[in-house]
Amino acid sequence: MAKKERNKVEEAYVYVVKNPSYNDICLAAWDSVLYPGTPVVYETRFGLDLGFIVGPAPSEENTYTPGCAGVRGACIHFGSNDKEDEAENEAQDINEKDIHQCEYCMGCQVTKEPKKVTVTGDVLFLDHLATPAEMAKYNENSAKEDDAIIVCREKIQKHNLNMKLITTHFLLGEPKVIFFFTADERVDFRDLVKDLVSVFRMRIELRQIGVRDESRLIGGLSVCGRDYCCHCITDKLEPVSIKMAKEQNLSLNSMKISGPCGRLLCCLAYEYDYYVEEKAAMPAEGSKIKINHELFKVSEVNILSRRVSLQGADGRVLYVPFDDVYYNDESQHWCVSQEWEDEIFSS
């Protein structure tokens, strides 16, 4: 289908497409059903290049909605000892082989066939499915990239440039090679480009990236023992601040909350909104609550255990479940339920 005709398409299948060479992820549409691993050719920010289908585009059903208390990090359909869950699985006739992840949290859903959706505006369409000849060219280019890195590093040393070469990539759709590098300051690499052009006889692009982009590009194992989030599960680098660690009562030791890139861990942002939302419905730390004619100070609001810690003047500590803490509009003070108070002080 020509590009002019594609602008008239109202319905199409939308997929997540990943470029393995520089780890870019985007959404692209196509006219028919494609499955994960299918090689495709599409327009990237560097030019026409090869990518692979990751899967159907996420739907609105997968996103986190404020107030959702069922957000979990592991699938609740399988591996559970709860007989009710097992009975529910049997009732839904779900095959474990068809399950990708849990359908109750963001990014987790039962694997389904792609569905056509209405596409509007400037939607990126795949150019075409990769041919065997293009796959052969891609493999040939990949084999040349290691040699290109060696050549470029030699030229960098020759010109005594203060830059660190990260990786290189030969574009599939045109004679062009891209060199990704990091540097502490702006680098004048005009002479370097001339030398590289004389060697490779094609267009040369040098692109400066940051240290977080370096981790996203080359990947590796993070402190949790898994692949970098920026490399394997996120499509862009979100800003992360120390405030996010404070809100989640995490250690502020930079060694514990920083990734191998030296910047704050990307995962600090994952649950931040949930913590802010949950804490907004509870008394702030330092506020006072009167219990049994005695004032207690809120020392901690623990989102994981869903308990508020209260400390008395004599050092005594009480733990109150979230469900037993409420704001009294008449007195304009935080209070605990009478049932909880009676249970604690009757013993």
Side-chain angles (χ1 to χ4, degrees), residues 150-167:
I150 295 174
V151 171
C152 187
R153 284 177 176 163
E154 290 176 350
K155 300 298 183 182
I156 290 173
Q157 187 174 8
K158 171 188 172 183
H159 292 282
N160 195 27
L161 296 175
N162 186 21
M163 55 190 289
K164 175 186 175 184
L165 183 65
I166 304 303
T167 187

Side-chain angles (χ1 to χ4, degrees), residues 125-197:
F125 268 82
L126 300 175
D127 192 272
H128 61 273
L129 302 184
T131 64
E134 287 173 324
M135 289 301 300
K137 184 180 179 182
Y138 171 77
N139 292 329
E140 180 184 345
N141 287 343
S142 298
K144 294 190 299 183
E145 289 172 359
D146 289 340
D147 293 334
I149 290 177
I150 295 174
V151 171
C152 187
R153 284 177 176 163
E154 290 176 350
K155 300 298 183 182
I156 290 173
Q157 187 174 8
K158 171 188 172 183
H159 292 282
N160 195 27
L161 296 175
N162 186 21
M163 55 190 289
K164 175 186 175 184
L165 183 65
I166 304 303
T167 187
T168 185
H169 174 61
F170 286 86
L171 214 61
L172 180 70
E174 58 181 286
K176 176 181 176 182
V177 57
I178 308 168
F179 295 93
F180 297 92
F181 71 94
T182 60
D184 295 332
E185 55 188 17
R186 188 177 179 84
V187 179
D188 184 0
F189 46 68
R190 288 174 292 184
D191 292 336
L192 173 63
V193 171
K194 292 178 183 178
D195 279 0
L196 293 176
V197 169

Side-chain angles (χ1 to χ4, degrees), residues 92-279:
Q92 294 178 356
D93 192 25
I94 300 177
N95 187 341
E96 184 172 358
K97 295 181 180 180
D98 296 330
I99 294 294
H100 175 60
Q101 285 179 310
C102 165
E103 63 177 333
Y104 290 100
C105 45
M106 183 172 66
C108 299
Q109 59 179 345
V110 177
T111 303
K112 298 179 181 179
E113 289 290 317
K115 293 183 180 180
K116 273 192 173 183
V117 297
T118 301
V119 293
T120 57
D122 188 14
V123 178
L124 171 68
F125 268 82
L126 300 175
D127 192 272
H128 61 273
L129 302 184
T131 64
E134 287 173 324
M135 289 301 300
K137 184 180 179 182
Y138 171 77
N139 292 329
E140 180 184 345
N141 287 343
S142 298
K144 294 190 299 183
E145 289 172 359
D146 289 340
D147 293 334
I149 290 177
I150 295 174
V151 171
C152 187
R153 284 177 176 163
E154 290 176 350
K155 300 298 183 182
I156 290 173
Q157 187 174 8
K158 171 188 172 183
H159 292 282
N160 195 27
L161 296 175
N162 186 21
M163 55 190 289
K164 175 186 175 184
L165 183 65
I166 304 303
T167 187
T168 185
H169 174 61
F170 286 86
L171 214 61
L172 180 70
E174 58 181 286
K176 176 181 176 182
V177 57
I178 308 168
F179 295 93
F180 297 92
F181 71 94
T182 60
D184 295 332
E185 55 188 17
R186 188 177 179 84
V187 179
D188 184 0
F189 46 68
R190 288 174 292 184
D191 292 336
L192 173 63
V193 171
K194 292 178 183 178
D195 279 0
L196 293 176
V197 169
S198 66
V199 173
F200 295 102
R201 302 291 181 181
M202 62 176 64
R203 287 182 58 197
I204 302 294
E205 180 176 343
L206 272 78
R207 182 166 289 265
Q208 185 171 350
I209 60 176
V211 290
R212 292 185 72 196
D213 293 289
E214 177 184 351
S215 296
R216 184 184 63 81
L217 199 64
I218 62 178
L221 291 181
S222 188
V223 292
C224 62
R226 300 191 177 200
D227 289 340
Y228 296 163
C229 292
C230 59
H231 179 76
C232 65
I233 65 173
T234 57
D235 59 345
K236 57 184 177 180
L237 296 173
E238 299 289 349
V240 183
S241 67
I242 195 68
K243 179 182 177 182
M244 295 178 176
K246 291 180 179 178
E247 194 69 36
Q248 298 172 67
N249 297 329
L250 297 174
S251 168
L252 300 185
N253 185 332
S254 60
M255 297 294 292
K256 294 184 178 180
I257 60 175
S258 296
C261 62
R263 301 295 189 267
L264 293 174
L265 292 165
C266 294
C267 56
L268 293 179
Y270 294 168
E271 298 177 358
Y272 172 69
D273 290 341
Y274 176 72
Y275 273 78
V276 170
E277 175 195 329
E278 288 293 298
K279 285 189 174 183

Side-chain angles (χ1 to χ4, degrees), residues 9-10 22 27 31 43 69 79 97 101 107 122 167 169 186 195 197 251 298 304 306 310 317 327 341:
V9 175
E10 295 183 355
Y22 38 88
L27 297 180
D31 310 311
E43 191 67 35
K97 295 181 180 180
Q101 285 179 310
D122 188 14
T167 187
H169 174 61
R186 188 177 179 84
D195 279 0
V197 169
S251 168
V298 176
L304 298 180
R306 300 188 64 79
L310 304 176
V317 178
Y327 186 76
E341 189 172 340

